[in-house]
Amino acid sequence: MITWYADEIVTIQFSRMPRTETLNATPNSTPEEIKDINKKPYLLLHEIEVTVKYGDKTYIFPVEKHYRWNGANIPFGLWNLIGSPSDNRFRIPSMIHDKLCENHDFIGYDRYLSSIIFERLLRVAGVNKIKRRVMFLAVDNFQKFCGWDKEKKQQEGK
């Protein structure tokens, strides 16, 4: 187990070092393949298991081999300020965050925890404090409108 990040709030561990690659279109790629590659250009080469310890809870979830994601969703107008979506520093944080956005149940429907995980992974990747804060606030506020809180209330009502 690799401890990727640990502080008094959260610990994030990976079962192994994530190996990823960027997919590229070739002259033989069909228009559909090119569209698919442009939509989700990043690929995880092997499965990893992620362990997140937060308070008195421990969450363990897989990111499967050949998982694909789009990287960081940074509007073009902010690339000079934040960086481009293809910045390697964003690759692992965006992979884990995208997986959590697709599987809210992996961390007990805790939207805020997903934002904390994203920010801590950005920290490990060497993203400076101001950029991390801007990215944290952007994802955390965007997620408020993506159904996380509604799902959490539904789960608590069961």
Side-chain angles (χ1 to χ4, degrees):
M1 193 61 72
I2 301 166
T3 299
W4 208 259
Y5 182 85
D7 66 14
E8 64 281 351
I9 297 171
V10 67
T11 298
I12 305 164
Q13 299 174 311
F14 295 159
S15 59
R16 63 195 291 192
M17 185 69 67
R19 288 186 46 237
T20 66
E21 75 176 30
T22 303
L23 301 174
N24 296 296
T26 66
N28 296 333
S29 297
T30 67
E32 293 80 21
E33 290 170 330
I34 293 169
K35 184 178 178 183
D36 186 51
I37 289 169
N38 288 336
K39 186 176 179 182
K40 292 188 176 185
Y42 302 111
L43 174 76
L44 179 63
L45 298 175
H46 56 79
E47 181 172 328
I48 62 170
E49 187 174 81
V50 181
T51 301
V52 175
K53 297 175 185 176
Y54 181 63
D56 62 348
K57 296 181 180 173
T58 298
Y59 302 99
I60 300 171
F61 59 91
V63 183
E64 68 277 0
K65 180 179 182 177
H66 298 144
Y67 176 69
R68 302 235 340 248
W69 73 103
N70 67 338
N73 293 320
I74 302 168
F76 179 75
L78 297 177
W79 287 10
N80 285 333
L81 175 67
I82 303 295
S84 78
S86 62
D87 187 322
N88 273 336
R89 295 174 300 167
F90 305 151
R91 189 170 296 195
I92 301 302
S94 66
M95 175 183 68
I96 300 302
H97 189 259
D98 282 10
K99 190 66 179 178
L100 292 174
C101 286
E102 295 166 4
N103 299 277
H104 299 170
D105 60 313
F106 281 2
I107 54 170
Y109 301 90
D110 191 333
R111 173 193 55 77
Y112 188 68
L113 176 56
S114 76
S115 300
I116 291 171
I117 292 167
F118 180 64
E119 189 277 335
R120 297 312 197 272
L121 294 174
L122 289 170
R123 185 182 297 188
V124 171
V127 176
N128 76 49
K129 188 176 184 176
I130 294 170
K131 288 181 184 181
R132 281 195 326 264
R133 187 68 182 158
V134 169
M135 293 175 81
F136 170 85
L137 291 171
V139 258
D140 192 55
N141 283 304
F142 178 77
Q143 288 175 162
K144 289 176 182 175
F145 304 101
C146 295
W148 281 75
D149 294 334
K150 181 178 178 183
E151 288 178 353
K152 186 172 186 173
K153 287 177 186 172
Q154 289 173 343
Q155 289 302 313
E156 290 170 351
K158 285 185 178 181

